[in-house]
PDB file of all heavy atoms in Angstrom:
ATOM      1  N   ASP X1320     -10.357  19.638 -24.585  1.00  0.00           N
ATOM      2  CA  ASP X1320     -11.383  20.700 -24.645  1.00  0.00           C
ATOM      3  C   ASP X1320     -11.304  21.603 -23.407  1.00  0.00           C
ATOM      4  O   ASP X1320     -11.688  22.763 -23.440  1.00  0.00           O
ATOM      5  CB  ASP X1320     -12.776  20.086 -24.781  1.00  0.00           C
ATOM      6  CG  ASP X1320     -13.007  19.526 -26.154  1.00  0.00           C
ATOM      7  OD1 ASP X1320     -12.257  19.868 -27.072  1.00  0.00           O
ATOM      8  OD2 ASP X1320     -13.965  18.738 -26.323  1.00  0.00           O
ATOM      9  N   ASN X1321     -10.840  21.029 -22.294  1.00  0.00           N
ATOM     10  CA  ASN X1321     -10.777  21.809 -21.058  1.00  0.00           C
ATOM     11  C   ASN X1321      -9.340  22.167 -20.677  1.00  0.00           C
ATOM     12  O   ASN X1321      -9.120  22.690 -19.565  1.00  0.00           O
ATOM     13  CB  ASN X1321     -11.451  21.053 -19.917  1.00  0.00           C
ATOM     14  CG  ASN X1321     -12.918  20.902 -20.151  1.00  0.00           C
ATOM     15  OD1 ASN X1321     -13.603  21.863 -20.574  1.00  0.00           O
ATOM     16  ND2 ASN X1321     -13.462  19.745 -19.894  1.00  0.00           N
ATOM     17  N   ALA X1376      -5.988  24.166 -17.297  1.00  0.00           N
ATOM     18  CA  ALA X1376      -6.322  25.523 -17.689  1.00  0.00           C
ATOM     19  C   ALA X1376      -7.643  26.010 -16.999  1.00  0.00           C
ATOM     20  O   ALA X1376      -7.918  27.216 -17.004  1.00  0.00           O
ATOM     21  CB  ALA X1376      -6.452  25.668 -19.190  1.00  0.00           C
ATOM     22  N   HIS X1377      -8.418  25.112 -16.513  1.00  0.00           N
ATOM     23  CA  HIS X1377      -9.698  25.445 -15.868  1.00  0.00           C
ATOM     24  C   HIS X1377     -10.623  26.234 -16.770  1.00  0.00           C
ATOM     25  O   HIS X1377     -11.520  26.926 -16.303  1.00  0.00           O
ATOM     26  CB  HIS X1377      -9.506  26.246 -14.598  1.00  0.00           C
ATOM     27  CG  HIS X1377      -8.738  25.513 -13.526  1.00  0.00           C
ATOM     28  ND1 HIS X1377      -9.306  24.464 -12.820  1.00  0.00           N
ATOM     29  CD2 HIS X1377      -7.500  25.714 -13.024  1.00  0.00           C
ATOM     30  CE1 HIS X1377      -8.400  24.014 -11.944  1.00  0.00           C
ATOM     31  NE2 HIS X1377      -7.322  24.762 -12.051  1.00  0.00           N
ATOM     32  N   ARG X1378     -10.387  26.207 -18.027  1.00  0.00           N
ATOM     33  CA  ARG X1378     -11.250  26.986 -18.933  1.00  0.00           C
ATOM     34  C   ARG X1378     -11.132  26.384 -20.350  1.00  0.00           C
ATOM     35  O   ARG X1378     -10.186  25.684 -20.659  1.00  0.00           O
ATOM     36  CB  ARG X1378     -10.917  28.426 -18.916  1.00  0.00           C
ATOM     37  CG  ARG X1378      -9.473  28.710 -19.171  1.00  0.00           C
ATOM     38  CD  ARG X1378      -9.130  30.173 -18.976  1.00  0.00           C
ATOM     39  NE  ARG X1378      -7.797  30.230 -18.425  1.00  0.00           N
ATOM     40  CZ  ARG X1378      -7.301  31.322 -17.923  1.00  0.00           C
ATOM     41  NH1 ARG X1378      -8.006  32.408 -17.897  1.00  0.00           N
ATOM     42  NH2 ARG X1378      -6.062  31.338 -17.458  1.00  0.00           N
ATOM     43  N   GLY X1379     -12.047  26.690 -21.168  1.00  0.00           N
ATOM     44  CA  GLY X1379     -12.100  26.130 -22.501  1.00  0.00           C
ATOM     45  C   GLY X1379     -11.083  26.775 -23.435  1.00  0.00           C
ATOM     46  O   GLY X1379     -10.364  27.764 -23.081  1.00  0.00           O
ATOM     47  N   LYS X1380     -11.013  26.272 -24.654  1.00  0.00           N
ATOM     48  CA  LYS X1380     -10.078  26.751 -25.642  1.00  0.00           C
ATOM     49  C   LYS X1380     -10.265  28.204 -26.000  1.00  0.00           C
ATOM     50  O   LYS X1380      -9.309  28.921 -26.251  1.00  0.00           O
ATOM     51  CB  LYS X1380     -10.209  25.917 -26.917  1.00  0.00           C
ATOM     52  CG  LYS X1380      -9.602  24.534 -26.801  1.00  0.00           C
ATOM     53  CD  LYS X1380      -9.742  23.782 -28.112  1.00  0.00           C
ATOM     54  CE  LYS X1380      -9.180  22.406 -27.992  1.00  0.00           C
ATOM     55  NZ  LYS X1380      -9.298  21.661 -29.203  1.00  0.00           N
ATOM     56  N   MET X1381     -11.478  28.668 -26.070  1.00  0.00           N
ATOM     57  CA  MET X1381     -11.762  30.082 -26.451  1.00  0.00           C
ATOM     58  C   MET X1381     -11.101  31.033 -25.457  1.00  0.00           C
ATOM     59  O   MET X1381     -10.489  32.028 -25.879  1.00  0.00           O
ATOM     60  CB  MET X1381     -13.244  30.341 -26.558  1.00  0.00           C
ATOM     61  CG  MET X1381     -13.901  29.690 -27.770  1.00  0.00           C
ATOM     62  SD  MET X1381     -13.085  30.093 -29.330  1.00  0.00           S
ATOM     63  CE  MET X1381     -13.493  31.811 -29.478  1.00  0.00           C
ATOM     64  N   MET X1382     -11.213  30.750 -24.171  1.00  0.00           N
ATOM     65  CA  MET X1382     -10.553  31.616 -23.173  1.00  0.00           C
ATOM     66  C   MET X1382      -9.076  31.565 -23.268  1.00  0.00           C
ATOM     67  O   MET X1382      -8.383  32.599 -23.129  1.00  0.00           O
ATOM     68  CB  MET X1382     -11.035  31.249 -21.759  1.00  0.00           C
ATOM     69  CG  MET X1382     -12.504  31.554 -21.504  1.00  0.00           C
ATOM     70  SD  MET X1382     -12.897  33.304 -21.754  1.00  0.00           S
ATOM     71  CE  MET X1382     -11.970  34.089 -20.466  1.00  0.00           C
ATOM     72  N   GLN X1383      -8.513  30.376 -23.550  1.00  0.00           N
ATOM     73  CA  GLN X1383      -7.078  30.258 -23.726  1.00  0.00           C
ATOM     74  C   GLN X1383      -6.644  31.033 -24.956  1.00  0.00           C
ATOM     75  O   GLN X1383      -5.595  31.714 -24.884  1.00  0.00           O
ATOM     76  CB  GLN X1383      -6.710  28.811 -23.856  1.00  0.00           C
ATOM     77  CG  GLN X1383      -6.892  28.011 -22.578  1.00  0.00           C
ATOM     78  CD  GLN X1383      -6.548  26.537 -22.774  1.00  0.00           C
ATOM     79  OE1 GLN X1383      -5.505  26.209 -23.348  1.00  0.00           O
ATOM     80  NE2 GLN X1383      -7.409  25.652 -22.304  1.00  0.00           N
ATOM     81  N   LEU X1384      -7.351  30.923 -26.028  1.00  0.00           N
ATOM     82  CA  LEU X1384      -7.018  31.659 -27.242  1.00  0.00           C
ATOM     83  C   LEU X1384      -7.087  33.166 -27.011  1.00  0.00           C
ATOM     84  O   LEU X1384      -6.249  33.908 -27.516  1.00  0.00           O
ATOM     85  CB  LEU X1384      -7.906  31.240 -28.399  1.00  0.00           C
ATOM     86  CG  LEU X1384      -7.663  29.844 -28.965  1.00  0.00           C
ATOM     87  CD1 LEU X1384      -8.773  29.488 -29.989  1.00  0.00           C
ATOM     88  CD2 LEU X1384      -6.284  29.752 -29.588  1.00  0.00           C
ATOM     89  N   LEU X1385      -8.069  33.623 -26.256  1.00  0.00           N
ATOM     90  CA  LEU X1385      -8.198  35.026 -25.907  1.00  0.00           C
ATOM     91  C   LEU X1385      -6.954  35.522 -25.169  1.00  0.00           C
ATOM     92  O   LEU X1385      -6.382  36.562 -25.457  1.00  0.00           O
ATOM     93  CB  LEU X1385      -9.439  35.294 -25.161  1.00  0.00           C
ATOM     94  CG  LEU X1385      -9.740  36.753 -24.753  1.00  0.00           C
ATOM     95  CD1 LEU X1385      -9.867  37.635 -25.980  1.00  0.00           C
ATOM     96  CD2 LEU X1385     -10.993  36.842 -23.894  1.00  0.00           C
ATOM     97  N   GLU X1386      -6.526  34.734 -24.180  1.00  0.00           N
ATOM     98  CA  GLU X1386      -5.338  35.065 -23.400  1.00  0.00           C
ATOM     99  C   GLU X1386      -4.072  35.127 -24.270  1.00  0.00           C
ATOM    100  O   GLU X1386      -3.226  35.983 -24.149  1.00  0.00           O
ATOM    101  CB  GLU X1386      -5.138  34.088 -22.231  1.00  0.00           C
ATOM    102  CG  GLU X1386      -6.148  34.209 -21.131  1.00  0.00           C
ATOM    103  CD  GLU X1386      -6.078  35.577 -20.429  1.00  0.00           C
ATOM    104  OE1 GLU X1386      -4.987  36.100 -20.184  1.00  0.00           O
ATOM    105  OE2 GLU X1386      -7.136  36.150 -20.131  1.00  0.00           O
ATOM    106  N   LEU X1387      -3.982  34.126 -25.202  1.00  0.00           N
ATOM    107  CA  LEU X1387      -2.840  34.128 -26.108  1.00  0.00           C
ATOM    108  C   LEU X1387      -2.859  35.365 -27.061  1.00  0.00           C
ATOM    109  O   LEU X1387      -1.830  35.939 -27.372  1.00  0.00           O
ATOM    110  CB  LEU X1387      -2.816  32.839 -26.937  1.00  0.00           C
ATOM    111  CG  LEU X1387      -2.428  31.593 -26.163  1.00  0.00           C
ATOM    112  CD1 LEU X1387      -2.655  30.350 -27.003  1.00  0.00           C
ATOM    113  CD2 LEU X1387      -0.967  31.662 -25.710  1.00  0.00           C
ATOM    114  N   ALA X1388      -4.061  35.709 -27.556  1.00  0.00           N
ATOM    115  CA  ALA X1388      -4.157  36.840 -28.436  1.00  0.00           C
ATOM    116  C   ALA X1388      -3.771  38.156 -27.703  1.00  0.00           C
ATOM    117  O   ALA X1388      -3.054  38.972 -28.257  1.00  0.00           O
ATOM    118  CB  ALA X1388      -5.613  36.953 -28.986  1.00  0.00           C
ATOM    119  N   LYS X1389      -4.245  38.265 -26.436  1.00  0.00           N
ATOM    120  CA  LYS X1389      -3.833  39.476 -25.648  1.00  0.00           C
ATOM    121  C   LYS X1389      -2.352  39.523 -25.480  1.00  0.00           C
ATOM    122  O   LYS X1389      -1.732  40.578 -25.554  1.00  0.00           O
ATOM    123  CB  LYS X1389      -4.537  39.424 -24.269  1.00  0.00           C
ATOM    124  CG  LYS X1389      -5.984  39.788 -24.344  1.00  0.00           C
ATOM    125  CD  LYS X1389      -6.734  39.961 -23.020  1.00  0.00           C
ATOM    126  CE  LYS X1389      -6.177  39.395 -21.778  1.00  0.00           C
ATOM    127  NZ  LYS X1389      -7.052  39.454 -20.604  1.00  0.00           N
ATOM    128  N   ALA X1390      -1.713  38.372 -25.232  1.00  0.00           N
ATOM    129  CA  ALA X1390      -0.280  38.331 -25.042  1.00  0.00           C
ATOM    130  C   ALA X1390       0.437  38.684 -26.356  1.00  0.00           C
ATOM    131  O   ALA X1390       1.451  39.410 -26.345  1.00  0.00           O
ATOM    132  CB  ALA X1390       0.148  36.934 -24.569  1.00  0.00           C
ATOM    133  N   PRO X1397       1.992  35.107 -22.004  1.00  0.00           N
ATOM    134  CA  PRO X1397       0.699  34.867 -21.372  1.00  0.00           C
ATOM    135  C   PRO X1397       0.853  34.499 -19.904  1.00  0.00           C
ATOM    136  O   PRO X1397       1.806  33.780 -19.576  1.00  0.00           O
ATOM    137  CB  PRO X1397       0.115  33.754 -22.233  1.00  0.00           C
ATOM    138  CG  PRO X1397       1.262  33.142 -22.931  1.00  0.00           C
ATOM    139  CD  PRO X1397       2.344  34.174 -23.044  1.00  0.00           C
ATOM    140  N   LYS X1398      -0.063  34.904 -19.090  1.00  0.00           N
ATOM    141  CA  LYS X1398      -0.001  34.636 -17.656  1.00  0.00           C
ATOM    142  C   LYS X1398      -1.147  33.688 -17.263  1.00  0.00           C
ATOM    143  O   LYS X1398      -2.259  33.824 -17.764  1.00  0.00           O
ATOM    144  CB  LYS X1398      -0.075  35.927 -16.853  1.00  0.00           C
ATOM    145  CG  LYS X1398       1.088  36.853 -17.109  1.00  0.00           C
ATOM    146  CD  LYS X1398       0.972  38.094 -16.302  1.00  0.00           C
ATOM    147  CE  LYS X1398       2.162  38.968 -16.625  1.00  0.00           C
ATOM    148  NZ  LYS X1398       1.860  40.351 -16.714  1.00  0.00           N
ATOM    149  N   ASP X1399      -0.838  32.799 -16.396  1.00  0.00           N
ATOM    150  CA  ASP X1399      -1.853  31.947 -15.782  1.00  0.00           C
ATOM    151  C   ASP X1399      -2.726  31.206 -16.824  1.00  0.00           C
ATOM    152  O   ASP X1399      -3.914  31.133 -16.664  1.00  0.00           O
ATOM    153  CB  ASP X1399      -2.757  32.758 -14.875  1.00  0.00           C
ATOM    154  CG  ASP X1399      -2.004  33.392 -13.728  1.00  0.00           C
ATOM    155  OD1 ASP X1399      -1.038  32.739 -13.271  1.00  0.00           O
ATOM    156  OD2 ASP X1399      -2.314  34.495 -13.318  1.00  0.00           O
ATOM    157  N   LEU X1400      -2.085  30.713 -17.889  1.00  0.00           N
ATOM    158  CA  LEU X1400      -2.845  29.898 -18.843  1.00  0.00           C
ATOM    159  C   LEU X1400      -3.287  28.568 -18.213  1.00  0.00           C
ATOM    160  O   LEU X1400      -4.314  28.098 -18.570  1.00  0.00           O
ATOM    161  CB  LEU X1400      -2.008  29.617 -20.090  1.00  0.00           C
ATOM    162  CG  LEU X1400      -1.984  30.689 -21.143  1.00  0.00           C
ATOM    163  CD1 LEU X1400      -1.178  30.228 -22.343  1.00  0.00           C
ATOM    164  CD2 LEU X1400      -3.357  31.086 -21.574  1.00  0.00           C
TER     165      LEU X1400
END
Side-chain angles (χ1 to χ4, degrees):
D1320 288 343
N1321 294 317
H1377 297 290
R1378 53 189 145 191
K1380 285 183 183 179
M1381 289 305 292
M1382 290 303 294
Q1383 291 177 47
L1384 288 173
L1385 180 61
E1386 289 297 320
L1387 287 171
K1389 285 188 339 188
K1398 296 179 181 142
D1399 300 324
L1400 276 183

